[in-house]
């Protein structure tokens, strides 16, 4: 069964550093997403990406964050100047298209900012 | 603001017993509602997906119901197994350009032998 792959599974970074979280969505999917889950809290939507541009973003997704699809397979989330409160699980997801039936999540990257 | 609320927050049942988890939502425009199972430290895995016109959907021992008028859903688990111990999350998809999902806080289910 096709999977969404995320790397690394766990990343520790110092406050103020930049991190890039990587995702390989399912190959024939058209929509790509990032979500995050702070420990003990709900999963929260960050951003959706379609046709090489952001289609929706939440209030959380401020100028500190950016997304990119640098080639035909990878989808990245960059966090500039990380803060302690950025510590969370970050989930990538991809979707076949409208209707959201094909939504598939990766296993997540646990980001720890120290 | 789109919201999904779930109850109970946590539940402990004995192996072999049934349980029902509840979900209320205020999400607009509504596209579909799904239940996810999330093991600790893992990504959510979809159990069922229901559109506006569907009242019930089953997936093995999982049966979900949807009342679009009252904006409520339930997930019924029959003959629970130890491996059912996980968080069960109600998620509503909004029919907007990004198809973003709004997550509930989940019900943490523990099945004991």
């Amino acid at each position: 069964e096709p999977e969404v792959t995320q790397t690394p599974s766990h990343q520790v970074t110092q406050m103020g550093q930049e991190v890039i979280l990587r995702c390989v969505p399912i190959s024939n999917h058209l929509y790509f997403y990032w979500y995050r889950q702070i420990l003990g809290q709900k999963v929260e939507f960050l951003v959706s990406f379609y046709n090489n541009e952001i289609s929706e973003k939440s209030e959380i997704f401020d100028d500190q964050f950016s997304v990119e699809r640098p080639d035909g397979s990878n989808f990245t989330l960059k966090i500039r100047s990380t803060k302690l409160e950025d510590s969370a699980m970050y989930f990538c997801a991809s979707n076949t298209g409208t209707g959201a039936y094909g939504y598939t999540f990766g296993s997540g990257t646990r980001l720890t900012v120290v | 603001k789109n919201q999904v609320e779930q109850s109970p927050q946590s539940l402990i049942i004995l192996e072999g017993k049934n349980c029902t988890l509840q979900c209320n939502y205020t999400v607009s425009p509504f596209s579909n509602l799904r239940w996810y199972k999330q093991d600790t430290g893992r990504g959510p895995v979809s159990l069922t997906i229901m559109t506006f016109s569907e009242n019930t959907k089953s997936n093995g021992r999982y049966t979900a119901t949807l009342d679009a008028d009252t904006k409520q859903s339930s997930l019924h688990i029959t003959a629970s197994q130890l491996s059912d111990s996980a968080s069960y999350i109600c998620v509503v998809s909004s029919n907007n350009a990004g198809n973003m999902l709004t997550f509930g806080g989940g019900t943490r289910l523990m099945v004991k032998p």
Side-chain angles (χ1 to χ4, degrees), chain A residues 37 40-43, chain B residues 4-9 38 87-91 102-108:
Chain A
Q37 186 176 30
Q41 298 187 20
K42 296 181 181 184
V43 176
Chain B
V4 178
E5 301 294 334
Q6 292 186 242
S7 62
Q9 283 190 325
Q38 185 179 25
S87 285
Y88 290 84
I89 308 174
C90 176
V91 183
T102 302
F103 284 70
T107 293
R108 183 170 295 278

Side-chain angles (χ1 to χ4, degrees), chain B residues 97-112:
Chain B
N99 283 304
M100 65 180 240
L101 304 180
T102 302
F103 284 70
T107 293
R108 183 170 295 278
L109 175 66
M110 182 177 295
V111 180
K112 291 193 167 183

Side-chain angles (χ1 to χ4, degrees), chain A residues 33 35 37 42 99-101 103, chain B residues 4 32 34 38 51 98-99 101:
Chain A
Y33 310 83
Y35 289 79
Q37 186 176 30
K42 296 181 181 184
Y101 277 82
Y103 239 104
Chain B
V4 178
N32 56 66
R34 60 185 68 204
Q38 185 179 25
T51 62
N99 283 304
L101 304 180

